[in-house]
């Protein structure tokens, strides 16, 4: 008989259903492990089960097989002898603290499965209490009941729940009988029709379990539980405390290293600024060729039939121009000749071409760019200091351009062109005439 769902209830999102399912599974696994590992603290895990009727006390399911179905004739005995016999049977079964669980046979309890909405799982005990008179012939206040979730169907939003219940007066009477015999009742188990104990079902309320325990046992249990919690806290806090002490010990070392690094960086910055200031003028000087280099280059390239009358080197902004004026037999060939220079670039004619002062000669004016000289590859100062001592001249001079074997120029003074009617001299004094 299935219970009807709550009307008007909104369906939960799929991710919440999956998260709740995972949490229930994880909580159940932790609960099983805790019951198994901490059974001595809780006093309700894996203790012998005892069935009670009017005349007999039967050890139904002990932890050791030889004592199974050990029967004690409690009817003819008085309470003292029956209690001693029960405690002796429990000791033979491996239970030294007289703990036991009352076992109800199938005819003494009602076990059934019901279907409930998945949304009621958070408050399933309260919902079952409200629905008890509809699901069973009893009211909730007349019975002890417990439940376990057998399966969950996320698609239909239903739970399969196994419910076990027994009348209160029956349970109270048999629990009281066991306690009169000196047993420490830890719970009430239920057996199904096949004679197997229903797992994870305990009809006895938690506040009534273990009432026969002595004050010393309860104090010992609480002391062990407190010690476990203290050890757990220490296991968490000791590594943190050790890391904190290590960090505190390393703080002075780190501060000293940072101070030394800052001092080193300041010295390196000052040295770098001084090197840059020193190299500024040297770099400006090395970036441009001297005027004599242009005179030598032009003297080397011009043919012997050319007279150079004027040569100007002008700086316009960041660039330099070289302008030459003179007479030659063919001014068009000079452009091609000057294009082969390593110091000049883009030679172009300027002005109009006119006859020269000598026969078969032309006056020319050619202007070319003088690009800056390529500086040597810079090298870090600190890198050189580790391998060798720094040179007195941080920036070495660039190599001079290759020159053909020519006569050195004696002076940069330009010789005027010869008078008309005289032939142009040969290039024996080319350097001086240009």
């Amino acid at each position: 008989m299935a219970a009807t769902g709550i009307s008007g209830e909104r369906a939960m999102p799929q991710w919440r259903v999956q998260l709740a399912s995972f949490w229930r599974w994880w909580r159940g696994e932790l609960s099983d492990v805790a019951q198994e590992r901490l059974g001595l603290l809780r006093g309700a895990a894996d203790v012998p089960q005892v069935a009670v009727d009017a005349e007999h006390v039967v050890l139904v399911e002990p932890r050791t097989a030889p004592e199974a179905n050990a029967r004690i004739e409690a009817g003819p005995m008085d309470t003292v002898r029956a209690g001693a016999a029960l405690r002796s049977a429990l000791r033979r079964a491996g239970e030294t603290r007289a703990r036991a669980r009352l076992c109800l046979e199938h005819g003494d309890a009602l076990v059934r499965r019901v279907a409930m909405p998945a949304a009621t799982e958070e408050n399933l005990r309260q919902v079952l209490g409200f629905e008890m008179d509809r699901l069973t012939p009893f009211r909730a206040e007349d019975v002890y009941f417990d439940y376990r979730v057998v399966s969950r169907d996320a698609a239909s939003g239903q739970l399969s729940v196994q419910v076990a219940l027994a009348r209160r007066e029956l349970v109270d009477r048999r629990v009281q009988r066991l306690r009169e015999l000196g047993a420490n009742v830890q719970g009430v188990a239920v057996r199904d029709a096949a004679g197997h104990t229903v797992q994870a079902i305990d009809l006895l309320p938690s506040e009534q379990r273990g009432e026969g325990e002595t004050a010393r046992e309860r104090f010992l249990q609480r002391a062990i539980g407190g010690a476990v919690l203290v050890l757990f806290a220490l296991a968490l806090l000791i590594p943190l405390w050790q890391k904190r002490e290590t960090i505190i010990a390393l703080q002075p070392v780190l501060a000293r290293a940072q101070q030394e690094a800052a001092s080193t960086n300041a010295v390196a910055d000052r040295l770098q600024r001084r090197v840059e200031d020193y190299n500024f003028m040297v770099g400006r000087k090395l970036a441009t060729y001297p005027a004599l280099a242009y005179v030598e280059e032009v003297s080397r390239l011009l043919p012997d039939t050319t007279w150079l009358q004027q040569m100007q080197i002008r700086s316009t902004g960041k660039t330099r121009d070289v302008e030459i004026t003179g007479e030659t037999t063919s001014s068009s060939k000079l452009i091609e000749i000057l294009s082969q220079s390593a110091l000049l670039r883009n030679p172009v004619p300027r002005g109009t071409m006119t006859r020269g002062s000598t026969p078969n000669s032309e006056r020319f004016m050619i202007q070319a760019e003088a690009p800056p000289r390529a500086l040597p590859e810079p090298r870090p100062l600190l890198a050189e200091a580790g391998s060798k001592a720094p040179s007195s001249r941080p920036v070495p001079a660039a190599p001079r351009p290759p020159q053909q074997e020519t006569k050195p120029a004696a002076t940069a003074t330009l010789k005027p062109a010869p008078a008309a009617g005289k032939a142009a001299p040969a290039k024996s004094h080319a350097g001086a005439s240009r």
Side-chain angles (χ1 to χ4, degrees):
M1 181 175 181
T4 57
I6 301 175
S7 60
E9 185 174 357
R10 293 181 298 178
M12 296 176 62
Q14 185 65 23
W15 66 271
R16 291 191 60 184
V17 174
Q18 294 177 354
L19 183 61
S21 176
F22 173 77
W23 171 248
R24 287 190 297 268
W25 171 81
W26 180 250
R27 188 174 57 186
E29 293 294 326
L30 290 180
S31 177
D32 293 343
V33 172
Q35 289 180 2
E36 179 180 356
R37 300 298 181 185
L38 304 178
L40 293 177
L41 297 179
R42 297 185 58 188
D46 196 22
V47 297
Q49 297 182 14
V50 178
V52 179
D53 56 18
E55 300 293 335
H56 305 88
V57 176
V58 181
L59 195 60
V60 177
E61 189 176 330
R63 286 178 292 186
T64 55
E67 291 294 331
N69 296 324
R71 183 179 297 271
I72 300 173
E73 299 291 340
M77 301 181 183
D78 57 11
T79 303
V80 176
R81 289 189 298 167
L86 177 60
R87 288 191 296 273
S88 176
L90 291 176
R91 281 194 298 271
R92 289 194 301 270
E95 177 56 51
T96 60
R97 300 170 57 192
R99 296 181 306 169
R101 296 181 67 189
L102 175 63
C103 180
L104 298 180
E105 299 296 336
H106 180 65
D108 298 329
L110 175 63
V111 181
R112 61 168 304 179
R113 289 193 180 186
V114 298
M116 301 294 291
T120 63
E121 186 171 4
E122 296 297 331
N123 301 306
L124 190 56
R125 179 172 292 276
Q126 289 81 354
V127 174
L128 290 175
F130 294 148
E131 298 286 333
M132 188 62 64
D133 55 350
R134 188 181 63 81
L135 299 175
T136 67
F138 307 99
R139 295 181 301 174
E141 57 269 17
D142 297 334
V143 295
Y144 290 125
F145 73 94
D146 197 9
Y147 70 94
R148 72 182 184 97
V149 178
V150 179
S151 62
R152 299 176 178 85
D153 189 354
S156 61
Q158 295 289 319
L159 301 174
S160 178
V161 183
Q162 187 178 33
V163 182
L165 57 99
R167 298 193 313 274
R168 284 179 178 261
E169 64 270 12
L170 175 65
V171 174
D172 293 340
R173 184 172 62 251
R174 296 189 179 182
V175 168
Q176 183 62 30
R177 177 59 176 164
L178 281 179
R179 287 174 177 165
E180 290 176 354
L181 296 178
N184 185 355
V185 181
Q186 300 293 319
V188 176
V190 177
R191 306 185 76 175
D192 55 16
H196 302 296
T197 302
V198 180
Q199 299 296 327
I201 294 290
D202 193 344
L203 301 184
L204 190 64
S206 59
E207 61 271 10
Q208 299 183 21
R209 300 173 189 172
E211 290 185 355
E213 295 178 348
T214 63
R216 181 176 177 275
E217 292 175 342
R218 288 194 297 269
F219 173 77
L220 183 60
Q221 292 177 0
R222 293 172 184 174
I224 295 176
V228 170
L229 294 178
V230 170
L231 292 176
F232 180 73
L234 290 177
L236 294 178
L237 295 178
I238 287 179
L240 298 178
W241 179 78
Q242 292 176 343
K243 291 182 180 296
R244 176 179 176 273
E245 293 297 322
T246 303
I247 293 174
I248 292 175
L250 291 177
Q251 286 296 332
V253 180
L254 179 60
R256 185 167 56 254
Q258 290 178 345
Q259 184 178 3
E260 293 176 355
S263 301
T264 304
N265 292 335
V267 172
D269 292 341
R270 288 197 300 269
L271 182 59
Q272 186 67 27
R273 285 195 299 268
R274 292 182 180 180
V275 170
E276 291 175 355
D277 294 342
Y278 174 78
N279 288 340
F280 177 73
M281 295 305 298
V282 178
R284 290 291 299 271
K285 179 180 179 181
L286 295 178
T288 57
Y289 291 102
L292 185 59
Y294 295 108
V295 174
E296 292 178 353
E297 182 73 5
V298 172
S299 300
R300 183 180 62 86
L301 293 176
L302 291 182
D304 294 338
T305 57
T306 301
W307 288 85
L308 189 63
Q309 297 176 342
Q310 186 178 6
M311 180 177 182
Q312 295 182 358
I313 301 175
R314 295 190 298 266
S315 297
T316 57
K318 295 183 179 181
T319 61
R320 303 178 76 192
D321 296 332
V322 176
E323 184 179 283
I324 57 176
T325 305
E327 294 182 6
T328 184
T329 56
S330 177
S331 59
S332 60
K333 292 183 179 180
L334 296 182
I335 301 298
E336 182 180 354
I337 292 174
L338 293 176
S339 298
Q340 302 174 4
S341 173
L343 304 183
L344 302 178
R345 185 186 304 167
N346 301 328
V348 293
R350 295 294 182 185
T352 59
M353 186 182 305
T354 59
R355 289 181 177 274
S357 59
T358 60
N360 299 325
S361 65
E362 301 174 353
R363 291 185 61 82
F364 66 89
M365 179 184 294
I366 299 176
Q367 183 177 355
E369 298 178 3
R373 179 164 50 178
L375 294 176
E377 189 71 21
R379 289 177 292 181
L381 182 63
L382 296 180
E384 290 186 357
S387 59
K388 61 180 181 178
S391 175
S392 60
R393 193 173 185 179
V395 182
R400 300 180 64 181
Q403 297 182 0
Q404 298 178 358
E405 185 178 355
T406 58
K407 295 181 180 180
T411 178
T413 306
L414 301 179
K415 184 178 180 180
K422 295 182 180 180
K427 200 180 178 182
S428 60
H429 301 285
S433 63
R434 297 174 198 144

